[in-house]
Amino acid sequence: MTTLSVEDLAAKVPDGAQIALPPDYSGCALAAVRALIRRGVKDLRVVGVPQLGFQADLLIGAGCVASLEAAAVSLGEQGLAPRFTAAVRAGGLALKDSTCPAIHAGLQAAEKGIPFIPLRGILGSDLLKHRGDWRVIDNPYGPGGPGGEGDPIVLLPAIRPDVALFHAAKADRDGNVWIGIRRELMLMAHAAATSLVTVERIVEEDLLADDETAAGTIPALYIEAIAPAERGAWPVGLRGHYGADRAHLAHYVEEAASEEGFARYLREHVTGREAA
Amino acid sequence: MAVKLETLLIATLADMLDGLGHVAVGAASPIPGAAALLARARGGGRPRVSVLASERHNPFTDGGRELFDCAAQGRIDAFFLGGVQIDGAANINLVGVGGYPRTRARFPGCFGSAYLYHLVPRVILFRQEHSARTLVPRVEFVSAAGSSPAHHYRPGGPHALVTGRCVFAFERARGRFRLQSLHPGETLESLREATGFDFDVADDLQETPAPDAATLALIEGPVAEAVAETYPAFAQRVFGAKHAA
């Protein structure tokens, strides 16, 4: 597999794409997200697997997002996601609020190539009122209640993103990507039509040759392109490699509290320095 | 000497976990996380504890979905949920206040609540801020419903609500909270004033008991150390600098 530059990798995400992104604790391709913003990507339909943090706040603030499906958007210990909350208040986002297992299950349906999947729970939640694409049926395998009340269960449509974008520790020359224990990245790659991946480094060994690495490796058949990006998850962390840059995230939260501050942040950290 | 409120809360929550098989704790939950680790420390390794935000205390190896699949199979006995708002029927709101979808004060979102509330037998609600703003007559958005019609499949549900002022038990048959104990300094009157919903009062209403010396030693020793891995800022604030990561 040929490797691309981060900018060329980001160029493969079309405007209007449904794009699956991981949460801050998994593998976030922040270098590629900054490249997307520099490119001026528009109308992304973002799916959080299952929740989102810093990268979603950046994309929303930069005006790249048309709709958002996620179980939550938060900066964790740093607090609320400022550009997300501002966009919700302004009504500038088409929201598809969800719950963590519903996102996982929708992606699992896509993995299997089936159109929908049932999931327990959710009944009685206002999510059901606002999710016109979710249905409630009577469990066709249930015993049937004595009063004919049955066993209601929620059905969710498959979620098949156009593209999954994430960051991982390493890939080999064939394009196999090692994600270790972060198996929601495996789920994303299986479910999405294609995956774009940035990695800390390209290694010479075949990751599929040894079971110790193969078990945590996404085979290249799911991967469209790879770009090397050292510290590509910064300022969030990459498990086993580096932690989140808490001071930088705190600085972001301060700046992103206002539109002017957010614009300044973009100039300083996204469109300015790195674009050169 | 009076114990710190955080210490009292950790001990109180831990008392609800003793003897269980498996307790899971979600993100951004240092006090519930500490309570689970305390219950494990004094139970000789039981309950099994899965702290999702931790690298060391999270056993799952199959991605974000595994916790939820485990819960639906009945492999998780207790979980903690909070809420921007909690009402007297134990409905919880994690979405925000002031309309939907254009919400004036938007919070992160439902996370796994809409699901886990139905499937985990003992869901403990924890919200340290106890005010008429957080404990309301009716939540504005039901992220997860406190109760369900009898024919719904629902092995799980609310067990108790612990706040910075008191402990409520939840009576599922009545769909209401019952005040069980008041933290030191609170009275029934002060509590009614701070609570936006109506509740029952236990006949044997008491003061929330302070942890004994052995429990205190565990909290300030091994529990504080384990908590510092996942919640360094919390550990430093509550237990002091020696536990800062």
Side-chain angles (χ1 to χ4, degrees):
Chain A
M1 179 173 288
T2 53
T3 57
L4 302 177
S5 70
V6 170
E7 303 291 332
D8 288 345
L9 183 98
K12 288 188 166 290
V13 178
D15 286 353
Q18 188 181 38
I19 184 171
L21 299 173
D24 284 351
Y25 58 73
S26 193
C28 291
L30 258 307
V33 164
R34 285 187 289 270
L36 276 172
I37 294 170
R38 282 195 288 276
R39 196 197 97 200
V41 70
K42 286 273 175 291
D43 298 326
L44 291 177
R45 292 172 293 136
V46 174
V47 179
V49 184
Q51 69 205 46
L52 291 164
F54 177 70
Q55 62 183 334
D57 208 55
L58 267 190
L59 285 165
I60 291 165
C64 306
V65 180
S67 74
L68 187 94
E69 177 166 14
V73 183
S74 160
L75 299 185
E77 262 205 316
Q78 308 283 345
L80 298 173
R83 290 295 96 199
F84 164 69
T85 52
V88 168
R89 203 179 309 124
L93 267 183
L95 275 185
K96 290 170 91 175
D97 265 294
S98 188
T99 180
C100 304
I103 303 250
H104 294 305
L107 293 169
Q108 287 176 281
E111 264 188 325
K112 295 182 197 311
I114 54 177
F116 61 84
I117 192 164
L119 190 73
R120 284 298 187 188
I122 305 177
L123 298 167
S125 166
D126 283 345
L127 287 175
L128 266 177
K129 287 190 202 163
H130 296 284
R131 290 296 304 252
D133 55 339
W134 292 1
R135 303 265 186 282
V136 179
I137 62 158
D138 182 33
N139 169 10
Y141 296 96
E149 292 157 316
D151 174 17
I153 186 165
V154 174
L155 292 188
L156 312 159
I159 301 172
R160 185 165 199 249
D162 298 317
V163 57
L165 174 66
F166 54 89
H167 183 72
K170 56 186 173 182
D172 65 19
R173 293 282 170 200
D174 295 326
N176 302 303
V177 175
W178 186 83
I179 46 103
I181 203 170
R182 295 278 37 134
R183 295 191 65 91
E184 57 280 341
L185 300 176
M186 182 81 80
L187 173 62
M188 283 168 62
H190 288 173
T194 192
S195 291
L196 301 172
V197 184
T198 59
V199 294
E200 290 291 313
R201 62 195 173 96
I202 309 278
V203 297
E204 294 306 322
E205 74 259 30
D206 176 354
L207 291 169
L208 296 180
D210 182 345
D211 279 4
E212 287 201 13
T213 49
T217 294
I218 304 174
L221 76 98
Y222 299 99
I223 313 286
E224 180 179 344
I226 289 170
E230 215 174 306
R231 293 189 69 81
W234 177 86
V236 302
L238 181 66
R239 183 185 170 106
H241 289 256
Y242 43 91
D245 183 344
R246 288 166 198 269
H248 182 88
L249 290 171
H251 168 67
Y252 172 79
V253 169
E254 237 168 72
E255 289 286 77
S258 72
E259 273 189 49
E260 308 73 54
F262 180 77
R264 187 165 54 235
Y265 177 90
L266 279 189
R267 281 196 306 277
E268 283 174 11
H269 298 285
V270 180
T271 54
R273 191 175 58 181
E274 287 196 7
Chain B
M1 192 186 78
V3 299
K4 277 196 190 115
L5 177 60
E6 287 87 351
T7 307
L8 181 73
L9 294 172
I10 290 166
T12 301
L13 291 173
D15 287 346
M16 299 179 182
L17 305 174
D18 290 326
L20 297 179
H22 187 181
V23 178
V25 184
S29 310
I31 290 174
L37 293 166
L38 169 61
R40 184 178 71 180
R42 68 187 179 194
R46 189 179 160 91
R48 181 186 293 279
V49 173
S50 299
V51 181
L52 302 179
S54 164
E55 289 190 6
R56 249 179 274 159
H57 303 283
N58 178 351
F60 295 119
T61 55
D62 206 10
R65 70 191 182 86
E66 190 175 1
L67 161 77
F68 302 102
D69 292 347
C70 260
Q73 292 179 313
R75 294 182 193 269
I76 299 195
D77 302 306
F79 193 79
F80 296 91
L81 289 173
V84 183
Q85 295 177 322
I86 299 169
D87 71 24
N91 298 306
I92 60 175
N93 171 9
L94 287 81
V95 163
V97 179
Y100 184 88
R102 225 178 130 165
T103 308
R104 182 172 44 76
R106 170 73 200 213
F107 282 74
C110 295
F111 291 101
S113 66
Y115 174 90
L116 294 171
Y117 215 17
H118 291 247
L119 296 168
V120 176
R122 185 172 292 197
V123 175
I124 298 162
L125 301 175
F126 175 68
R127 177 77 211 242
Q128 194 165 340
E129 179 184 339
H130 182 144
S131 70
R133 190 179 79 126
T134 55
L135 306 187
V136 297
R138 175 75 192 174
V139 295
E140 286 187 43
F141 187 102
V142 179
S143 289
S147 56
S148 302
H151 68 284
H152 283 198
Y153 176 81
R154 185 162 190 177
H159 173 75
L161 165 61
V162 176
T163 75
R165 293 172 181 263
C166 75
V167 176
F168 292 108
F170 188 72
E171 288 187 275
R172 290 191 194 173
R174 288 168 57 79
R176 282 168 64 87
F177 286 109
R178 182 184 62 231
L179 180 64
Q180 285 299 128
S181 73
L182 296 162
H183 299 344
E186 299 292 340
T187 64
L188 188 52
E189 290 67 39
S190 70
L191 204 82
R192 283 202 197 281
E193 204 166 304
T195 309
F197 57 70
D198 190 37
F199 54 85
D200 301 327
V201 179
D203 295 335
D204 57 343
L205 178 66
Q206 49 172 323
E207 181 169 289
T208 309
D212 58 28
T215 301
L216 265 180
L218 279 174
I219 293 175
E220 286 164 6
V223 170
E225 201 172 304
V227 164
E229 182 243 343
T230 313
Y231 304 107
F234 172 83
Q236 176 154 27
R237 182 171 61 78
V238 176
F239 303 118
K242 71 182 163 129
H243 293 296

